[in-house]
Amino acid sequence: MRLKKLFILIFCTLLVLPYSTVMANEEAKYVVIDKNEVYEIRKYSDRLAVETSRAGIDSNFRKLFNYISGRNDAEEKISMTTPVTQVEKNGNMTMQFYLPSKFNSDNVPKPSREDVRIINIEGGYYAVLRYSGRASYNNLIKHKQILEKELKNNNISIISPPIRATYDSPFTLPMNRRNEAMYKVEFNS
């Protein structure tokens, strides 16, 4: 019986491993400007994203996934990119999928839904604390508090609400996941 359980465990692990890789083809580009033992400061350029806020019966992820799956005015399938970000705006949790760099304001497909919109995320400096584990709200709170404390200790001004960034598919084992707590900051390089 133990051998059978061991065989099933090994089989299931081997079945899941191929799906435990990063879920996307392209990652938002940045340059690391400064780094210490807790966080790094990254400089991002402006980038296009598709975003939605929680409203109605569809989840934010589902609405955005439908957009990149071809539910847009061009019926174009769009490659998934990383990270997927979440940030609170006007009291609502907003989710964003970054769009591949081949898109600009002239060629990006328009969303079919009114509650899905194309936005430009302004570039700048972001303080980032990377962590593994589940991408839960409690895990974000824990790590954003660590980041916030370190930034205050280093006299770096925070100019945004906390941002949760996730990089991996839900099939990735928690200890292998890449999550980040981020703040936009004022930084003089």
Side-chain angles (χ1 to χ4, degrees):
M1 191 65 173
R2 281 184 174 215
L3 187 58
K4 184 178 179 182
K5 285 183 180 178
L6 181 62
F7 177 74
I8 291 171
L9 179 64
I10 291 170
F11 177 76
C12 289
T13 302
L14 292 174
L15 185 67
V16 169
L17 280 178
Y19 299 102
S20 294
T21 57
V22 172
M23 63 183 169
N25 297 324
E26 184 179 330
E27 182 177 329
K29 303 282 186 259
Y30 61 85
V31 175
V32 176
I33 302 298
D34 194 21
K35 187 175 186 173
N36 63 30
E37 63 281 347
V38 177
Y39 65 88
E40 62 187 25
I41 303 290
R42 298 177 184 166
K43 184 167 194 220
Y44 285 91
S45 299
D46 288 2
R47 54 211 182 276
L48 283 181
V50 58
E51 90 171 1
T52 190
S53 296
R54 189 170 292 141
I57 59 170
D58 288 340
S59 72
N60 286 346
F61 186 88
R62 174 65 46 205
K63 289 187 257 184
L64 298 178
F65 187 76
N66 287 342
Y67 169 81
I68 66 169
S69 296
R71 290 192 188 161
N72 53 62
D73 72 340
E75 297 181 358
E76 181 177 350
K77 291 187 180 191
I78 299 169
S79 297
M80 184 82 181
T81 65
T82 58
V84 172
T85 55
Q86 293 178 312
V87 64
E88 189 175 318
K89 290 184 179 180
N90 304 319
N92 291 316
M93 190 52 69
T94 299
M95 181 178 278
Q96 301 156 335
F97 284 8
Y98 296 134
L99 294 171
S101 57
K102 71 178 186 176
F103 291 110
N104 60 47
S105 57
D106 296 326
N107 68 359
V108 66
K110 293 186 180 19
S112 303
R113 295 180 62 132
E114 288 183 19
D115 57 349
V116 174
R117 60 202 159 278
I118 304 298
I119 62 161
N120 181 53
I121 297 177
E122 187 178 310
Y125 296 100
Y126 289 80
V128 180
L129 186 151
R130 185 174 175 166
Y131 60 97
S132 61
R134 293 180 19 145
S136 68
Y137 182 73
N138 288 338
N139 215 359
L140 170 69
I141 295 300
K142 173 184 165 185
H143 290 91
K144 76 120 181 140
Q145 288 173 341
I146 294 168
L147 178 57
E148 194 173 308
K149 180 181 175 190
E150 287 296 316
L151 292 171
K152 285 182 181 175
N153 287 343
N154 293 321
N155 296 315
I156 297 175
S157 298
I158 296 170
I159 57 175
S160 77
I163 302 163
R164 175 177 21 188
T166 56
Y167 288 80
D168 301 295
S169 82
F171 300 108
T172 303
L173 298 172
M175 64 273 214
N176 294 333
R177 289 187 183 167
R178 176 183 174 191
N179 304 306
E180 295 173 345
M182 304 173 73
Y183 282 107
K184 189 169 187 183
V185 295
E186 287 182 7
F187 187 77
N188 299 319
S189 54

